[in-house]
Amino acid sequence: MNQLKQAIREQGRVLSSDVLKVDSFLNHQIDVDLMMSVGEEFARRFQTDSITKVLTIESSGIAPSMTAARDLKASLVFARKKKSLTMSSDVFVSQVYSFTKQETNDITVSKDFLTENDRVLIIDDFLANGQAAFGLIDIVQQAGAKVVGLGIVIEKSFQDGRQQLEDQGYRVESLARIHSLEKGQVTFVDELQLSNI
Ligand code: 5GP
């Protein structure tokens, strides 16, 4: 997705060789136009998969999931990182180690919003080592529902999340794949392939 790659190139800040900050369009301020296009692209890629639910994790996964859910005519459910007081005890719970916060949190989804009949597309803002993705997969499995695939806005391909997910048979669709953040520079996987021709 060129529009997304351009935003990463122009607005992304490389904080270290493994962390990219994209606060100006995805993680704090939201570029609504761009998120609409991101959601449309996810929907295009999964349009024949009879998705009934898009599942993401609060808060940064919600914006890119909305258009996808609308276009797929599916509901959008987000896992909560903190259990709400109004949430009953009837929840699916999984543990997720946060790559950026370096702490483990319980994530919860009400049993009311995920059932064994659901075909689920999991969407998240970043894929690093796959902890968030596997936490969400665990919740879908607890519900007896089917994980149809994963939609990732920004994949850091130098970390092993994609490999782990593919090794377990999951389909991963990432809209921007970063090969490296070395020397403060973002290099995309497809640029690398082009420069090798
Ligand atoms: P994983 O669970 O795959 O190891 O990491 C993915 C999660 O960590 C995402 O939900 C995202 O919130 C966060 N994350 C991982 N790497 C980055 C990064 O480079 N930048 C930002 N902003 N978030 C990241």
Side-chain angles (χ1 to χ4, degrees), residues 18-20 27 97 99-100 124-132 156:
D18 58 7
V19 178
L20 177 69
N27 290 142
Y97 175 77
F99 176 79
T100 43
D124 204 6
D125 58 343
F126 272 87
L127 176 62
N129 298 310
Q131 301 281 326
K156 292 182 294 177

Side-chain angles (χ1 to χ4, degrees), residues 3-190:
Q3 197 186 348
L4 174 63
K5 280 166 60 181
Q6 190 179 344
I8 294 171
R9 229 182 255 116
E10 290 174 359
Q11 300 174 48
R13 283 181 41 215
V14 177
L15 294 190
S16 67
S17 60
D18 58 7
V19 178
L20 177 69
K21 186 168 176 169
V22 288
D23 274 21
S24 64
F25 64 89
L26 178 57
N27 290 142
H28 193 7
Q29 175 172 259
I30 290 175
D31 181 334
V32 178
D33 241 15
L34 177 58
M35 288 306 117
M36 298 290 277
S37 305
V38 161
E40 279 165 19
E41 180 61 19
F42 284 137
R44 193 184 65 76
R45 294 189 191 200
F46 288 94
Q47 65 190 352
T48 58
D49 291 293
S50 309
I51 305 292
T52 62
K53 291 269 157 78
V54 174
L55 177 66
T56 187
I57 189 164
E58 68 174 349
S59 52
S60 296
I62 297 175
S65 301
M66 278 194 56
T67 326
R70 187 198 58 183
D71 288 3
L72 290 166
K73 301 195 179 1
S75 302
L76 165 57
V77 180
F78 63 89
R80 291 179 182 268
K81 287 182 180 157
K82 294 229 161 57
K83 205 172 156 189
S84 154
L85 282 177
T86 58
M87 221 166 182
S88 76
S89 56
D90 248 5
V91 290
F92 301 115
V93 185
S94 191
Q95 287 207 323
V96 171
Y97 175 77
S98 164
F99 176 79
T100 43
K101 302 202 174 89
Q102 310 213 326
E103 60 186 28
T104 301
N105 289 305
D106 280 351
I107 60 165
T108 53
V109 171
S110 166
K111 291 184 179 171
D112 290 340
F113 303 129
L114 215 46
T115 73
E116 60 188 12
N117 299 322
D118 280 317
R119 292 175 55 80
V120 182
L121 166 61
I122 292 173
I123 288 182
D124 204 6
D125 58 343
F126 272 87
L127 176 62
N129 298 310
Q131 301 281 326
F134 278 110
L136 291 168
I137 288 170
D138 180 29
I139 282 185
V140 176
Q141 286 172 343
Q142 289 178 45
K146 175 160 178 64
V147 177
V148 175
L150 294 102
I152 303 293
V153 183
I154 304 175
E155 171 190 315
K156 292 182 294 177
S157 308
F158 54 89
Q159 292 172 300
D160 72 351
R162 170 183 279 267
Q163 193 61 52
Q164 301 260 1
L165 290 162
E166 286 185 341
D167 285 351
Q168 295 202 23
Y170 294 107
R171 171 179 168 202
V172 181
E173 293 283 348
S174 303
L175 304 191
R177 300 185 65 200
I178 294 179
H179 168 71
S180 152
L181 295 173
E182 293 298 329
K183 298 185 185 142
Q185 289 291 318
V186 179
T187 315
F188 294 101
V189 169
D190 50 359

